Amino acid sequence: MAAGEAPWSFAFAIPPATQGLRMYSSDFLHGTEDPWTRPISAAHKMVETLTVFDDVFVPWERVFFYNRPDLAGAAALTFVEFHRFTAVSYKLPLLDALVGTGFAVAQANGIERAGHVREKLTWLAGYAETVRGLTQLAAQRCLTEVGIAYPDVFTTNLAKWTFARDFHHALDTVQDLAGGLLVTGPSGMDWKSPEIRPVLDKYLRGAWPADRRMAVINLISDLTARTYGGYQAVLAIHAEGSLEAEKLAMFRAYDSKRAIGLAMRLAGLSEN
Amino acid sequence: MAAGEAPWSFAFAIPPATQGLRMYSSDFLHGTEDPWTRPISAAHKMVETLTVFDDVFVPWERVFFYNRPDLAGAAALTFVEFHRFTAVSYKLPLLDALVGTGFAVAQANGIERAGHVREKLTWLAGYAETVRGLTQLAAQRCLTEVGIAYPDVFTTNLAKWTFARDFHHALDTVQDLAGGLLVTGPSGMDWKSPEIRPVLDKYLRGAWPADRRMAVINLISDLTARTYGGYQAVLAIHAEGSLEAEKLAMFRAYDSKRAIGLAMRLAGLSEN
Amino acid sequence: MAAGEAPWSFAFAIPPATQGLRMYSSDFLHGTEDPWTRPISAAHKMVETLTVFDDVFVPWERVFFYNRPDLAGAAALTFVEFHRFTAVSYKLPLLDALVGTGFAVAQANGIERAGHVREKLTWLAGYAETVRGLTQLAAQRCLTEVGIAYPDVFTTNLAKWTFARDFHHALDTVQDLAGGLLVTGPSGMDWKSPEIRPVLDKYLRGAWPADRRMAVINLISDLTARTYGGYQAVLAIHAEGSLEAEKLAMFRAYDSKRAIGLAMRLAGLSEN
Amino acid sequence: MAAGEAPWSFAFAIPPATQGLRMYSSDFLHGTEDPWTRPISAAHKMVETLTVFDDVFVPWERVFFYNRPDLAGAAALTFVEFHRFTAVSYKLPLLDALVGTGFAVAQANGIERAGHVREKLTWLAGYAETVRGLTQLAAQRCLTEVGIAYPDVFTTNLAKWTFARDFHHALDTVQDLAGGLLVTGPSGMDWKSPEIRPVLDKYLRGAWPADRRMAVINLISDLTARTYGGYQAVLAIHAEGSLEAEKLAMFRAYDSKRAIGLAMRLAGLSEN
């Protein structure tokens, strides 16, 4: 922090219902809520807000520190170095859902034995398991000297960057396996109609009957192509730090000594 | 077509309003229609349907051919080889919109001089112009012997495959430049509120004032992260043929003689 | 050029044999020259040098300009904008050789019908033809106002960047199709030995007889894995400008008006 | 193994010097051996051979099993599932050498602060550490029930596939950082010449003096662009199994139950 900014170096926590605290909500996940076409987002709502402190009183017992520019950097880094571990950890079920729907829809469509389908499923599994493995390693390599388990900074950011870098490719891979029914499929009202349903059952079956096949396709549509999917896609890029922030953290945390030392020895430029 | 399938080889065109013709519409683009947060999709609706012929009478004057299995393959190929040219041609404005919003939001966010931002804008422009250039070449190399200009099959599919293969990466690149406001930004109701608007104007400005910046960000959100964006993303993968169909058409249309001939000469296996 | 650097702004051409002109040659393509294992590099030598002007007399009739800082930038740009067109043009046969050897070795190994092999051959053909198409467009879109055909700067650099960006992936793709015999195959001395040759003929045949199969594999080895291949790989990255130089030229030459104009109209920020 | 092939199901080990055992050596690493331009390959030779058993006597005490088709599959899999762990483990120093020379040459060339250089170094470090991390996990997750530590099959193949898939991109990244001197630099004879060396010292210095800079550049040339580099590149693709073999092993070893189970629950198709 620059000179004169000391009074801005503080941290505290207060309840959302505190007077003067205003949260302007995004409308991103509102709208129609048919649970048949939106099996996830009809039930699970996540709200993002612009949070404004408009003359809010913060009692001293809720203040972690104040007027301590010496602590500002460390406090900010806990976001980059610690919360980013939380971030990539909570993404693992989302990746499993993409892998699992990929396998399921390949079966539902009857294409699971095609070479290119196996290639795509293998890539999806490899991507998800690389993120999971690196996340596990970030925990195993934690620093404990500070009294809590502090995840390894380089490995945490490597896991998060790997997740974020390839997430959109995971989306197009699952969409590729699922087919155009993701956006051309029928509405929940038609599905419920006793007159129309037999037509849909007849023409929308694949290797699985229409009801099971469409359940998987609607799940993929919700996860990758509707508003909830777009929300997750932007979160992948930006939540808990962007791709550039992750790479910067990796660059700073990387201990290049071993690699450079080996290069120097091989080049005959050091004696060890 | 297999033996005995001759009666299934026919083609015709009839008006949508013909009796017995049923179109079961997708609900993909319905829902809320605030033109501030959805500048494209609030005004432009595209409907996809499951189309069923339920005892439809087709007059002979509307039949292109009937009981002609010898024409079936050629008729199907006009989709792969001809309509796919239409497909990639109508995508060029969508690509321009992604490139243009990328440049605009980089300015709105005040980051247009950062090295990684220039890298991303250059990639976006290179992607869009590669698709445009290959589309242009597919037209220039058309076959005219058949009486109409028939786009070059290999180049058409190369253009379409290039478009489809990298489309999701274009989405994540523009989202990367735009920032998390894509999904955390305020609703149209808050934006119109005389009480709230000054708060939004104060905190949502970047290098551009909040109204101009949010107009670009909302456009990107509509194009890449809301339902309309998901619809376009699935279309990129599946409409007018999937990635695998495009690669198959490329493989079949590629004239490998020149390349193989050169390799054989260089290997000393032919005399020419 | 900075103030005081005017005397350094000059251009001329002189014969290599001029007194005082020294060329320190790289040893990159020297070494053994068995034409069986090195069908290209045993016959074709390309020499790179460090060129030093050590008190060289340049007659005025050989000087294009002198003391003209106003011409320095334009003279340098002819390299970036004009010679780079030459650069990508002369690479097309190299790309054809990679595509052609890919097809040939897939046949020689008897794997040309495998799905993943077709996928790789399609990618190779698509890569080569994208570079060829963009090169052709760069010529078609040339500027003629200057009295000579000046290739379109953006398209030229797009072609060259596409070539350079994906060249190493073309190498690993062809190596993947060829197999480990690229580096484990027999020497020319063994091949010529009447005692050993029957053993090699017996064990090194694939779908093609050993002599034809090894001719293609040795060609690929020369083009991608021996010194000549390494020379071409580094040239792909650095000759006539690096990847970064190409992207910089693209960014400067790209006319972003159309794309930004479209984005602004769609965002409601301009009236046209 | 097919019926009647039982006598072909055997395994044994004998010394290379056994009578009748013939090894036809590749010439891949022969040739000039200047240690200045080839700091690695001048000292370290690796020989590949075509190994032929021409009427070799194998004593019974050297036979692991014979006429046991029931053991054939398991024996073959130890290659895929066990030796591949060795394979990726011994690659880690090679990856460190690429990362280390990347950092060193960026300093030698004085470009280590450029944004695109940091991006490339970060990618290199991320690639090497992902392979290292997955290798470490493959060991940690080993199966011990068989009496020895058997590395986890999926993770081993994931590590090996990640290594092989991106190796050529690591090569072009390091070559990009190093510059064209990789192939245009002087020979060892010129370097040793008392007359020529001062010229080279003058013109080949960067941020580092010429001798140190060229030592790193020559190391990179040896590792990535000369015959030794080509040998390593082909090994990356083919040794201990190709990319396709690794993906097949991943697909077979992947336990898809968790992912599919999650997808089915989210789609409402199972009760758990």
Side-chain angles (χ1 to χ4, degrees), chain C residues 24 26-28 38 48 116 120 168 172 175-176 179 182-185 196 221 225-227 230 238 243-244, chain D residues 24 26-28 38 48 116 120 168 172 175-176 179 182-185 196 221 225-227 230 238 243-244:
Chain C
Y24 301 95
S26 166
D27 75 339
F28 211 78
R38 297 157 182 83
E48 301 283 345
H116 72 90
K120 286 161 191 168
H168 281 69
D172 70 51
Q175 290 173 351
D176 188 343
L182 289 173
V183 300
T184 63
I196 297 174
S221 184
R226 291 183 185 272
T227 310
H238 285 291
L243 286 162
E244 297 305 318
Chain D
Y24 300 95
S26 167
D27 75 340
F28 211 78
R38 296 157 182 83
E48 301 283 346
H116 72 90
K120 287 161 191 167
H168 280 70
D172 71 52
Q175 289 173 352
D176 188 344
L182 288 173
V183 300
T184 64
I196 296 173
S221 182
R226 291 184 185 272
T227 309
H238 285 291
L243 287 161
E244 297 304 319

Short mmCIF file of all heavy atoms in Angstrom, two decimals, chain C residues 24 26-28 38 48 116 120 168 172 175-176 179 182-185 196 221 225-227 230 238 243-244, chain D residues 24 26-28 38 48 116 120 168 172 175-176 179 182-185 196 221 225-227 230 238 243-244:
data_model
loop_
_atom_site.label_atom_id
_atom_site.label_comp_id
_atom_site.label_asym_id
_atom_site.label_seq_id
_atom_site.Cartn_x
_atom_site.Cartn_y
_atom_site.Cartn_z
N TYR C 24 30.74 -16.56 -40.93
CA TYR C 24 31.11 -17.66 -40.04
C TYR C 24 29.98 -18.68 -40.08
O TYR C 24 28.89 -18.43 -39.56
CB TYR C 24 31.36 -17.14 -38.63
CG TYR C 24 32.46 -16.10 -38.59
CD1 TYR C 24 32.18 -14.74 -38.64
CD2 TYR C 24 33.80 -16.50 -38.56
CE1 TYR C 24 33.19 -13.79 -38.63
CE2 TYR C 24 34.83 -15.55 -38.55
CZ TYR C 24 34.50 -14.21 -38.59
OH TYR C 24 35.51 -13.28 -38.60
N SER C 26 27.56 -21.91 -39.64
CA SER C 26 27.08 -22.89 -38.68
C SER C 26 27.48 -24.28 -39.15
O SER C 26 27.63 -24.52 -40.35
CB SER C 26 25.56 -22.80 -38.59
OG SER C 26 25.03 -23.92 -37.93
N ASP C 27 27.66 -25.21 -38.23
CA ASP C 27 27.96 -26.60 -38.63
C ASP C 27 26.70 -27.44 -38.63
O ASP C 27 26.77 -28.66 -38.60
CB ASP C 27 28.99 -27.22 -37.69
CG ASP C 27 28.40 -27.60 -36.35
OD1 ASP C 27 27.34 -27.05 -36.00
OD2 ASP C 27 28.97 -28.43 -35.65
N PHE C 28 25.55 -26.78 -38.70
CA PHE C 28 24.34 -27.50 -38.36
C PHE C 28 24.03 -28.67 -39.28
O PHE C 28 23.47 -29.67 -38.84
CB PHE C 28 23.15 -26.55 -38.28
CG PHE C 28 22.16 -27.03 -37.29
CD1 PHE C 28 22.37 -26.82 -35.94
CD2 PHE C 28 21.04 -27.75 -37.66
CE1 PHE C 28 21.48 -27.30 -34.99
CE2 PHE C 28 20.14 -28.23 -36.72
CZ PHE C 28 20.37 -28.01 -35.40
N ARG C 38 19.20 -40.55 -44.91
CA ARG C 38 19.00 -39.10 -44.98
C ARG C 38 18.73 -38.68 -46.43
O ARG C 38 19.54 -37.99 -47.05
CB ARG C 38 20.23 -38.37 -44.46
CG ARG C 38 20.53 -38.66 -42.97
CD ARG C 38 21.99 -38.40 -42.65
NE ARG C 38 22.33 -38.70 -41.28
CZ ARG C 38 22.63 -39.94 -40.83
NH1 ARG C 38 22.61 -40.97 -41.64
NH2 ARG C 38 22.94 -40.11 -39.55
N GLU C 48 23.82 -21.56 -42.87
CA GLU C 48 23.52 -20.33 -42.16
C GLU C 48 24.84 -19.75 -41.66
O GLU C 48 25.75 -20.50 -41.29
CB GLU C 48 22.61 -20.59 -40.95
CG GLU C 48 21.29 -21.23 -41.30
CD GLU C 48 20.30 -20.24 -41.90
OE1 GLU C 48 20.53 -19.02 -41.77
OE2 GLU C 48 19.31 -20.70 -42.50
N HIS C 116 -8.36 -43.12 -35.48
CA HIS C 116 -7.44 -42.08 -35.00
C HIS C 116 -6.43 -41.70 -36.08
O HIS C 116 -5.94 -40.57 -36.11
CB HIS C 116 -6.75 -42.50 -33.71
CG HIS C 116 -5.71 -43.56 -33.87
ND1 HIS C 116 -4.39 -43.27 -34.12
CD2 HIS C 116 -5.80 -44.91 -33.84
CE1 HIS C 116 -3.71 -44.40 -34.22
NE2 HIS C 116 -4.55 -45.42 -34.06
N LYS C 120 -5.88 -37.93 -37.65
CA LYS C 120 -4.57 -37.25 -37.72
C LYS C 120 -4.27 -36.81 -39.15
O LYS C 120 -3.73 -35.72 -39.37
CB LYS C 120 -3.49 -38.19 -37.18
CG LYS C 120 -3.54 -38.30 -35.66
CD LYS C 120 -2.81 -39.53 -35.12
CE LYS C 120 -3.15 -39.71 -33.63
NZ LYS C 120 -2.74 -41.01 -33.10
N HIS C 168 5.18 -27.68 -35.03
CA HIS C 168 5.65 -28.77 -34.16
C HIS C 168 4.57 -29.82 -33.93
O HIS C 168 4.87 -30.99 -33.73
CB HIS C 168 6.16 -28.22 -32.83
CG HIS C 168 7.55 -27.64 -32.92
ND1 HIS C 168 7.84 -26.49 -33.60
CD2 HIS C 168 8.74 -28.08 -32.43
CE1 HIS C 168 9.14 -26.23 -33.51
NE2 HIS C 168 9.70 -27.18 -32.81
N ASP C 172 4.90 -33.88 -34.55
CA ASP C 172 4.58 -35.01 -33.66
C ASP C 172 3.48 -35.89 -34.26
O ASP C 172 3.46 -37.10 -34.02
CB ASP C 172 4.30 -34.57 -32.21
CG ASP C 172 3.01 -33.83 -31.98
OD1 ASP C 172 1.95 -34.28 -32.40
OD2 ASP C 172 3.07 -32.77 -31.32
N GLN C 175 5.29 -38.16 -36.76
CA GLN C 175 6.08 -39.13 -35.98
C GLN C 175 5.17 -40.18 -35.35
O GLN C 175 5.52 -41.36 -35.27
CB GLN C 175 6.88 -38.40 -34.90
CG GLN C 175 8.01 -37.56 -35.48
CD GLN C 175 8.70 -36.70 -34.43
OE1 GLN C 175 8.25 -36.59 -33.30
NE2 GLN C 175 9.81 -36.06 -34.81
N ASP C 176 4.02 -39.75 -34.88
CA ASP C 176 3.06 -40.66 -34.28
C ASP C 176 2.64 -41.72 -35.29
O ASP C 176 2.60 -42.93 -34.98
CB ASP C 176 1.86 -39.82 -33.82
CG ASP C 176 0.85 -40.59 -33.00
OD1 ASP C 176 0.87 -41.82 -33.02
OD2 ASP C 176 0.02 -39.95 -32.34
N GLY C 179 5.96 -44.28 -36.23
CA GLY C 179 6.41 -45.28 -35.27
C GLY C 179 7.86 -45.12 -34.88
O GLY C 179 8.60 -44.30 -35.44
N LEU C 182 11.60 -44.72 -36.64
CA LEU C 182 12.23 -43.46 -36.99
C LEU C 182 13.63 -43.33 -36.38
O LEU C 182 14.53 -42.76 -36.99
CB LEU C 182 11.37 -42.28 -36.50
CG LEU C 182 10.05 -42.03 -37.23
CD1 LEU C 182 9.27 -40.96 -36.49
CD2 LEU C 182 10.32 -41.61 -38.66
N VAL C 183 13.78 -43.85 -35.16
CA VAL C 183 15.07 -43.71 -34.50
C VAL C 183 15.72 -45.05 -34.16
O VAL C 183 16.86 -45.08 -33.71
CB VAL C 183 14.96 -42.86 -33.21
CG1 VAL C 183 14.44 -41.47 -33.52
CG2 VAL C 183 14.08 -43.53 -32.16
N THR C 184 14.98 -46.14 -34.35
CA THR C 184 15.58 -47.44 -34.04
C THR C 184 15.96 -48.21 -35.30
O THR C 184 16.50 -49.32 -35.20
CB THR C 184 14.60 -48.31 -33.20
OG1 THR C 184 13.44 -48.57 -33.99
CG2 THR C 184 14.21 -47.61 -31.92
N GLY C 185 15.65 -47.66 -36.47
CA GLY C 185 15.91 -48.36 -37.73
C GLY C 185 17.41 -48.55 -37.99
O GLY C 185 18.25 -47.90 -37.37
N ILE C 196 23.13 -59.12 -43.87
CA ILE C 196 22.13 -58.58 -42.93
C ILE C 196 20.82 -58.24 -43.61
O ILE C 196 19.75 -58.40 -43.05
CB ILE C 196 22.72 -57.33 -42.21
CG1 ILE C 196 23.93 -57.75 -41.39
CG2 ILE C 196 21.68 -56.67 -41.34
CD1 ILE C 196 24.68 -56.60 -40.76
N SER C 221 12.17 -39.49 -40.87
CA SER C 221 13.22 -39.28 -39.88
C SER C 221 14.08 -38.08 -40.26
O SER C 221 14.38 -37.22 -39.42
CB SER C 221 14.06 -40.55 -39.77
OG SER C 221 15.04 -40.43 -38.78
N ALA C 225 13.24 -35.70 -37.41
CA ALA C 225 13.92 -36.14 -36.18
C ALA C 225 15.44 -36.03 -36.24
O ALA C 225 16.09 -36.12 -35.19
CB ALA C 225 13.52 -37.58 -35.86
N ARG C 226 16.02 -35.87 -37.41
CA ARG C 226 17.47 -35.70 -37.49
C ARG C 226 17.79 -34.21 -37.57
O ARG C 226 16.90 -33.36 -37.41
CB ARG C 226 18.00 -36.45 -38.71
CG ARG C 226 17.91 -37.98 -38.55
CD ARG C 226 18.53 -38.68 -39.75
NE ARG C 226 18.36 -40.11 -39.69
CZ ARG C 226 19.22 -40.94 -39.05
NH1 ARG C 226 20.30 -40.47 -38.45
NH2 ARG C 226 19.00 -42.25 -39.04
N THR C 227 19.03 -33.91 -37.82
CA THR C 227 19.49 -32.52 -37.78
C THR C 227 18.74 -31.63 -38.78
O THR C 227 18.41 -30.48 -38.46
CB THR C 227 21.00 -32.48 -38.09
OG1 THR C 227 21.64 -33.41 -37.24
CG2 THR C 227 21.56 -31.12 -37.82
N GLY C 230 15.46 -30.75 -37.24
CA GLY C 230 15.62 -29.75 -36.20
C GLY C 230 15.86 -28.37 -36.77
O GLY C 230 15.34 -27.37 -36.25
N HIS C 238 11.50 -19.21 -36.03
CA HIS C 238 12.25 -17.96 -36.01
C HIS C 238 12.54 -17.31 -37.36
O HIS C 238 12.77 -16.10 -37.41
CB HIS C 238 13.58 -18.17 -35.28
CG HIS C 238 13.41 -18.27 -33.80
ND1 HIS C 238 13.05 -17.18 -33.03
CD2 HIS C 238 13.51 -19.30 -32.94
CE1 HIS C 238 12.94 -17.55 -31.77
NE2 HIS C 238 13.21 -18.84 -31.68
N LEU C 243 7.17 -15.91 -33.76
CA LEU C 243 5.74 -15.91 -33.49
C LEU C 243 5.27 -14.57 -32.94
O LEU C 243 4.22 -14.06 -33.34
CB LEU C 243 5.42 -17.02 -32.46
CG LEU C 243 5.45 -18.45 -32.97
CD1 LEU C 243 5.58 -19.42 -31.80
CD2 LEU C 243 4.21 -18.77 -33.77
N GLU C 244 6.04 -14.01 -32.02
CA GLU C 244 5.62 -12.74 -31.42
C GLU C 244 5.64 -11.62 -32.46
O GLU C 244 4.78 -10.72 -32.45
CB GLU C 244 6.53 -12.38 -30.24
CG GLU C 244 6.48 -13.36 -29.08
CD GLU C 244 5.07 -13.59 -28.55
OE1 GLU C 244 4.32 -12.62 -28.41
OE2 GLU C 244 4.73 -14.77 -28.28
N TYR D 24 20.93 -55.41 -34.20
CA TYR D 24 21.29 -54.53 -35.33
C TYR D 24 21.06 -53.09 -34.89
O TYR D 24 19.93 -52.64 -34.70
CB TYR D 24 20.45 -54.87 -36.55
CG TYR D 24 20.66 -56.31 -36.99
CD1 TYR D 24 19.80 -57.32 -36.56
CD2 TYR D 24 21.75 -56.66 -37.79
CE1 TYR D 24 20.00 -58.64 -36.93
CE2 TYR D 24 21.97 -57.99 -38.16
CZ TYR D 24 21.09 -58.96 -37.72
OH TYR D 24 21.30 -60.25 -38.09
N SER D 26 20.83 -49.05 -34.51
CA SER D 26 20.51 -47.81 -35.22
C SER D 26 21.74 -46.92 -35.25
O SER D 26 22.61 -47.00 -34.37
CB SER D 26 19.39 -47.10 -34.47
OG SER D 26 19.25 -45.79 -34.94
N ASP D 27 21.87 -46.09 -36.29
CA ASP D 27 23.00 -45.15 -36.33
C ASP D 27 22.58 -43.78 -35.79
O ASP D 27 23.22 -42.80 -36.07
CB ASP D 27 23.52 -45.02 -37.76
CG ASP D 27 22.61 -44.17 -38.63
OD1 ASP D 27 21.43 -44.03 -38.26
OD2 ASP D 27 23.06 -43.67 -39.66
N PHE D 28 21.47 -43.77 -35.03
CA PHE D 28 20.85 -42.48 -34.81
C PHE D 28 21.72 -41.49 -34.05
O PHE D 28 21.63 -40.28 -34.28
CB PHE D 28 19.52 -42.66 -34.09
CG PHE D 28 18.56 -41.59 -34.49
CD1 PHE D 28 17.90 -41.66 -35.70
CD2 PHE D 28 18.37 -40.47 -33.70
CE1 PHE D 28 17.05 -40.65 -36.11
CE2 PHE D 28 17.53 -39.45 -34.10
CZ PHE D 28 16.87 -39.54 -35.29
N ARG D 38 27.49 -29.89 -28.70
CA ARG D 38 26.63 -31.03 -28.31
C ARG D 38 27.00 -31.48 -26.89
O ARG D 38 27.52 -32.57 -26.69
CB ARG D 38 26.84 -32.20 -29.27
CG ARG D 38 26.40 -31.90 -30.71
CD ARG D 38 27.12 -32.80 -31.69
NE ARG D 38 26.80 -32.53 -33.07
CZ ARG D 38 27.37 -31.56 -33.81
NH1 ARG D 38 28.30 -30.77 -33.29
NH2 ARG D 38 27.00 -31.40 -35.07
N GLU D 48 19.81 -47.93 -29.79
CA GLU D 48 18.60 -48.72 -30.03
C GLU D 48 18.96 -49.80 -31.05
O GLU D 48 19.77 -49.59 -31.94
CB GLU D 48 17.49 -47.84 -30.62
CG GLU D 48 17.11 -46.67 -29.73
CD GLU D 48 16.23 -47.07 -28.55
OE1 GLU D 48 15.71 -48.21 -28.59
OE2 GLU D 48 16.08 -46.27 -27.62
N HIS D 116 5.19 -12.03 -22.59
CA HIS D 116 5.02 -13.30 -23.30
C HIS D 116 6.07 -14.31 -22.87
O HIS D 116 5.82 -15.52 -22.93
CB HIS D 116 5.03 -13.10 -24.82
CG HIS D 116 6.36 -12.77 -25.40
ND1 HIS D 116 7.23 -13.74 -25.84
CD2 HIS D 116 7.00 -11.58 -25.60
CE1 HIS D 116 8.33 -13.16 -26.30
NE2 HIS D 116 8.22 -11.86 -26.17
N LYS D 120 5.34 -18.02 -21.25
CA LYS D 120 5.90 -19.27 -21.76
C LYS D 120 6.63 -20.05 -20.66
O LYS D 120 6.53 -21.27 -20.60
CB LYS D 120 6.84 -18.98 -22.95
CG LYS D 120 6.06 -18.59 -24.20
CD LYS D 120 6.91 -17.86 -25.24
CE LYS D 120 5.98 -17.28 -26.31
NZ LYS D 120 6.65 -16.31 -27.19
N HIS D 168 6.18 -31.94 -27.59
CA HIS D 168 6.62 -31.12 -28.74
C HIS D 168 6.31 -29.64 -28.53
O HIS D 168 7.02 -28.78 -29.04
CB HIS D 168 5.98 -31.63 -30.03
CG HIS D 168 6.68 -32.84 -30.60
ND1 HIS D 168 6.62 -34.07 -30.01
CD2 HIS D 168 7.46 -33.00 -31.71
CE1 HIS D 168 7.32 -34.94 -30.72
NE2 HIS D 168 7.84 -34.33 -31.75
N ASP D 172 8.94 -26.47 -28.85
CA ASP D 172 8.85 -25.21 -29.60
C ASP D 172 8.86 -24.01 -28.66
O ASP D 172 9.35 -22.95 -29.03
CB ASP D 172 7.68 -25.21 -30.60
CG ASP D 172 6.29 -25.15 -30.01
OD1 ASP D 172 6.03 -24.27 -29.19
OD2 ASP D 172 5.45 -25.96 -30.42
N GLN D 175 12.56 -23.42 -27.88
CA GLN D 175 13.19 -22.90 -29.10
C GLN D 175 12.78 -21.44 -29.33
O GLN D 175 13.59 -20.62 -29.76
CB GLN D 175 12.79 -23.75 -30.30
CG GLN D 175 13.42 -25.14 -30.30
CD GLN D 175 12.90 -26.04 -31.40
OE1 GLN D 175 11.96 -25.70 -32.10
NE2 GLN D 175 13.52 -27.21 -31.55
N ASP D 176 11.53 -21.14 -29.05
CA ASP D 176 11.04 -19.78 -29.19
C ASP D 176 11.83 -18.83 -28.28
O ASP D 176 12.24 -17.74 -28.71
CB ASP D 176 9.54 -19.80 -28.82
CG ASP D 176 8.83 -18.49 -29.09
OD1 ASP D 176 9.49 -17.47 -29.29
OD2 ASP D 176 7.59 -18.51 -29.12
N GLY D 179 15.89 -18.54 -29.65
CA GLY D 179 16.21 -17.77 -30.84
C GLY D 179 16.92 -18.59 -31.90
O GLY D 179 17.30 -19.75 -31.70
N LEU D 182 20.16 -21.14 -32.32
CA LEU D 182 20.13 -22.59 -32.15
C LEU D 182 20.69 -23.31 -33.37
O LEU D 182 21.31 -24.36 -33.25
CB LEU D 182 18.67 -23.06 -31.94
CG LEU D 182 18.03 -22.73 -30.60
CD1 LEU D 182 16.56 -23.12 -30.64
CD2 LEU D 182 18.76 -23.43 -29.47
N VAL D 183 20.42 -22.76 -34.55
CA VAL D 183 20.88 -23.44 -35.77
C VAL D 183 21.83 -22.59 -36.60
O VAL D 183 22.39 -23.08 -37.58
CB VAL D 183 19.68 -23.88 -36.66
CG1 VAL D 183 18.78 -24.84 -35.90
CG2 VAL D 183 18.89 -22.71 -37.17
N THR D 184 22.00 -21.32 -36.25
CA THR D 184 22.91 -20.47 -37.02
C THR D 184 24.22 -20.22 -36.29
O THR D 184 25.11 -19.56 -36.84
CB THR D 184 22.26 -19.11 -37.35
OG1 THR D 184 22.04 -18.41 -36.11
CG2 THR D 184 20.96 -19.28 -38.09
N GLY D 185 24.35 -20.71 -35.07
CA GLY D 185 25.55 -20.46 -34.25
C GLY D 185 26.79 -21.12 -34.84
O GLY D 185 26.70 -22.01 -35.68
N ILE D 196 39.19 -16.11 -34.57
CA ILE D 196 37.75 -15.90 -34.77
C ILE D 196 37.03 -15.63 -33.45
O ILE D 196 36.09 -14.85 -33.39
CB ILE D 196 37.14 -17.14 -35.48
CG1 ILE D 196 37.74 -17.27 -36.87
CG2 ILE D 196 35.62 -17.03 -35.55
CD1 ILE D 196 37.34 -18.54 -37.60
N SER D 221 20.06 -26.52 -28.24
CA SER D 221 20.15 -27.08 -29.60
C SER D 221 20.32 -28.60 -29.54
O SER D 221 19.65 -29.35 -30.26
CB SER D 221 21.33 -26.43 -30.32
OG SER D 221 21.43 -26.89 -31.63
N ALA D 225 17.03 -29.71 -31.09
CA ALA D 225 17.08 -29.49 -32.55
C ALA D 225 18.08 -30.37 -33.28
O ALA D 225 18.03 -30.47 -34.50
CB ALA D 225 17.39 -28.02 -32.84
N ARG D 226 19.00 -30.98 -32.58
CA ARG D 226 19.94 -31.89 -33.24
C ARG D 226 19.44 -33.33 -33.11
O ARG D 226 18.33 -33.57 -32.63
CB ARG D 226 21.34 -31.73 -32.62
CG ARG D 226 21.98 -30.37 -32.95
CD ARG D 226 23.40 -30.31 -32.39
NE ARG D 226 24.00 -29.00 -32.58
CZ ARG D 226 24.68 -28.64 -33.68
NH1 ARG D 226 24.83 -29.48 -34.69
NH2 ARG D 226 25.19 -27.42 -33.77
N THR D 227 20.26 -34.26 -33.49
CA THR D 227 19.84 -35.66 -33.54
C THR D 227 19.39 -36.18 -32.17
O THR D 227 18.41 -36.93 -32.08
CB THR D 227 21.00 -36.52 -34.07
OG1 THR D 227 21.47 -35.93 -35.28
CG2 THR D 227 20.54 -37.92 -34.37
N GLY D 230 15.92 -34.99 -31.61
CA GLY D 230 14.96 -35.75 -32.42
C GLY D 230 14.71 -37.12 -31.83
O GLY D 230 13.56 -37.61 -31.82
N HIS D 238 6.66 -42.49 -28.71
CA HIS D 238 6.53 -43.93 -28.91
C HIS D 238 7.10 -44.84 -27.82
O HIS D 238 6.66 -45.99 -27.72
CB HIS D 238 7.16 -44.33 -30.25
CG HIS D 238 6.30 -43.93 -31.41
ND1 HIS D 238 5.10 -44.53 -31.67
CD2 HIS D 238 6.45 -42.96 -32.35
CE1 HIS D 238 4.56 -43.96 -32.74
NE2 HIS D 238 5.33 -43.01 -33.17
N LEU D 243 0.82 -42.67 -27.82
CA LEU D 243 -0.29 -41.89 -27.28
C LEU D 243 -1.59 -42.70 -27.28
O LEU D 243 -2.35 -42.66 -26.30
CB LEU D 243 -0.49 -40.63 -28.14
CG LEU D 243 0.56 -39.53 -27.97
CD1 LEU D 243 0.54 -38.59 -29.16
CD2 LEU D 243 0.29 -38.76 -26.69
N GLU D 244 -1.84 -43.41 -28.37
CA GLU D 244 -3.09 -44.18 -28.44
C GLU D 244 -3.11 -45.30 -27.40
O GLU D 244 -4.15 -45.60 -26.81
CB GLU D 244 -3.28 -44.76 -29.84
CG GLU D 244 -3.41 -43.72 -30.94
CD GLU D 244 -4.53 -42.72 -30.70
OE1 GLU D 244 -5.59 -43.13 -30.24
OE2 GLU D 244 -4.29 -41.52 -30.92
#
